[in-house]
Amino acid sequence: MDMRQLYMYFAWVVSLIATLGSLYFSEIKGYIPCELCWYQRIAMYPLAFILGVATFKQEFTIKKYVLPIAVIGWGISLYHYLQQKVPGFAPIKPCVGGVPCNAEYINWFGFVTIPFLALIAFTLIIIFMLLMKSNKK
């Protein structure tokens, strides 16, 4: 088996778990997503589909499409996590409607929040895409 295919498969599994996890939190647990959560979902949900199709078609050029989306999602997740955990990092204008972005539905071990989980997922996807070196000889 080609290692590129394995890395792409792992990236797809990570994106699928992250997508299903976010749906679990919102649809089963009833947690209402904030604005930044929606932006992270906008980045993650297509990755689950794109990586799934690319994995089964063995399309290794998908990296050039997946990496920019994953990096943007990573940046949003980092910003969201910093809003939750760093005092004074929240924006000056408060959230006027819906759920504030600094609300923590979960806080496992004092640092694992939903944006942190998304940050880890985007990080893993980026790492797997970077490990997919081209097979030029």
Side-chain angles (χ1 to χ4, degrees):
M1 176 181 267
D2 191 359
M3 287 303 290
R4 295 179 303 165
Q5 186 176 1
L6 194 60
Y7 292 139
M8 194 163 43
Y9 176 75
F10 287 152
W12 173 60
V13 168
V14 168
S15 68
L16 194 60
I17 290 170
T19 298
L20 293 174
S22 75
L23 289 172
Y24 169 78
F25 284 132
S26 65
E27 300 303 317
I28 295 174
K29 296 291 273 184
Y31 300 157
I32 300 168
C34 69
E35 185 177 353
L36 289 175
C37 289
W38 278 113
Y39 293 141
Q40 291 166 76
R41 287 176 175 211
I42 289 169
M44 184 61 73
Y45 287 12
L47 289 179
F49 178 75
I50 293 168
L51 285 166
V53 171
T55 297
F56 290 104
K57 289 197 167 259
Q58 296 183 10
E59 183 63 47
F60 300 115
T61 59
I62 200 70
K63 175 170 116 174
K64 62 185 170 188
Y65 303 110
V66 169
L67 265 176
I69 297 170
V71 168
I72 290 168
W74 184 89
I76 294 168
S77 296
L78 179 64
Y79 177 68
H80 193 182
Y81 186 67
L82 290 173
Q83 274 193 1
Q84 287 184 335
K85 293 299 183 182
V86 177
F89 199 86
I92 294 172
K93 78 172 181 87
C95 184
V96 290
V99 178
C101 291
N102 61 355
E104 295 179 17
Y105 284 116
I106 64 169
N107 191 4
W108 301 329
F109 309 113
F111 70 96
V112 178
T113 62
I114 294 174
F116 182 79
L117 294 172
L119 181 68
I120 295 301
F122 283 119
T123 301
L124 289 172
I125 291 169
I126 291 168
I127 289 170
F128 288 133
M129 290 296 106
L130 292 175
L131 289 173
M132 281 180 45
K133 304 233 186 272
S134 61
N135 211 8
K136 297 177 183 173
K137 292 182 180 176

